[in-house]
Amino acid sequence: MTAVRLPLGLPRRVPVRQILCLVPLALVLAVAVHHRSVLAEGFGRLESAEWPWLAAAVGATCLTWVAAAFTRQGAVMQRLPACRLLATQFAAGAANHLLPTGLGASAVNLRFMTVCGVPLARSSAALALYMLAESITRTVLLLALLLAFPDALHTGGLVPASATGPVLLAAAGAVCVAVAVLLLVRRLRTAVSSFLRTALREARSVHTRPARALALWGGSLAFPALQAAGLAAVGQALALPVPPVRMAVAYLAATLAVAAVPTPGGIGSVEAALVVALVAAGGPVAVATAVVLAYRIITVWLPLLPGALTLGALVRLKVI
């Protein structure tokens, strides 16, 4: 049998994995071009800041990836490779800023746990447990700070009285629609019931091991605390006349308020909410805007390109 040669002009097939490695870089370029004016203004604000405080903000941002890695490990019984887990959190941060809120990081971590040998059902349960723990600790931290410092934030400037009714009605309507769909669609009801049983079983297993429970709840508490500390450090760097505790409360309140907004990484919505929250805490509008722009440069834009490169490398190495 004679070998069949391909025509010289026929292009070689490009592996799908190589194309996927370039997708994060293309998305970073598109997002950066779309927000180029914000980037230019943010970098301009950094020139007049006090660098020791900016270095503290960068350090707090780096520690958030460590806290996320601890929380991810605490949410699953199987031991995950530490170095690859940390690299995955850094890459997941970039993915989270390129896709609607939470989807990027969730997809990256779900794929990572699956590659590590965790069954899909348990990986999904661990993902749900992580999100639940992070939401609970963020809310508890905010409530604790408000109880300790009741005058730290004037919520009237954040949520106008005229908007309270429509927001509550919309939330109640969404809950009613979700419950109705769940009750009417039998296949969906069965899938949700199966998932809840798996999630509860995994949650009980995790909490039978003190080390896992400590990693889960300690990491989920440290994550928003470090984020708030980063904002407070940037506020100090730009001489925002607001006490650090008030800045922390403003950050937690703003991020909780925009948690349901489906924008990539909260870009746009987070900035607006943070400015409003800092102004409500007593900061001048101009300085509060400068602080928010500088903070988002440090936490979003500076890690975005290296995070995308890390994501591409992890895809190429089949870590995810």
Side-chain angles (χ1 to χ4, degrees):
M1 183 180 294
T2 59
V4 178
R5 293 185 177 180
L6 293 175
L8 294 178
L10 187 65
R12 296 178 59 186
R13 180 177 295 177
V14 179
V16 175
R17 189 170 292 274
Q18 291 185 6
I19 296 176
L20 291 177
C21 293
L22 300 176
V23 170
L25 298 179
L27 289 175
V28 168
L29 179 61
V31 173
V33 170
H34 182 68
H35 295 88
R36 58 187 180 276
S37 60
V38 176
L39 283 171
E41 186 175 356
F43 277 110
R45 300 289 188 181
L46 290 175
E47 294 179 356
S48 60
E50 297 182 15
W51 287 99
W53 285 110
L54 290 184
V58 171
T61 299
C62 293
L63 288 176
T64 59
W65 301 316
V66 179
F70 271 95
T71 312
R72 299 286 184 185
Q73 177 60 85
V76 66
M77 289 294 294
Q78 182 173 329
R79 185 170 182 82
L80 303 173
C83 292
R84 282 184 282 172
L85 176 60
L86 182 58
T88 301
Q89 300 320 300
F90 181 52
N96 213 39
H97 295 307
L98 299 174
L99 294 174
T101 305
L103 293 182
S106 299
V108 169
N109 280 284
L110 191 64
R111 176 61 182 169
F112 172 70
M113 288 187 286
T114 304
V115 171
C116 289
V118 182
L120 181 59
R122 292 174 55 195
S123 299
S124 302
L127 191 64
L129 181 58
Y130 169 88
M131 297 174 67
L132 178 63
E134 204 276 333
S135 299
I136 290 175
T137 51
R138 187 179 293 267
T139 305
V140 168
L141 182 58
L142 174 61
L143 293 177
L145 288 175
L146 287 176
L147 287 175
F149 306 94
D151 60 340
L153 187 66
H154 303 288
T155 55
L158 286 176
V159 183
S162 59
T164 303
V167 169
L168 291 177
L169 286 176
V175 171
C176 292
V177 170
V179 171
V181 171
L182 185 62
L183 293 176
L184 294 175
V185 182
R186 181 178 179 182
R187 185 172 298 179
L188 178 61
R189 186 170 65 251
T190 303
V192 171
S193 300
S194 176
F195 172 75
L196 289 177
R197 285 194 298 269
T198 302
L200 290 174
R201 185 167 57 250
E202 287 298 306
R204 286 195 298 266
S205 300
V206 164
H207 287 86
T208 58
R209 298 184 59 178
R212 288 289 188 271
L214 180 61
L216 173 65
W217 293 102
S220 61
L221 179 62
F223 186 77
L226 288 166
Q227 289 180 320
L231 178 65
V234 175
Q236 294 294 106
L238 292 173
L240 180 68
V242 176
V245 171
R246 289 195 176 190
M247 283 188 271
V249 170
Y251 174 82
L252 294 170
T255 52
L256 282 174
V258 301
V261 179
T263 57
I267 293 176
S269 58
V270 170
E271 284 87 347
L274 279 177
V275 170
V276 173
L278 289 177
V279 172
V285 176
V287 184
T289 303
V291 168
V292 170
L293 289 175
Y295 176 71
R296 294 292 277 177
I297 287 289
I298 291 173
T299 57
V300 176
W301 296 104
L302 288 181
L304 194 57
L305 180 58
L309 292 172
T310 303
L311 180 60
L314 292 177
V315 171
R316 186 175 183 84
L317 295 172
K318 299 182 179 180
V319 175
I320 59 176

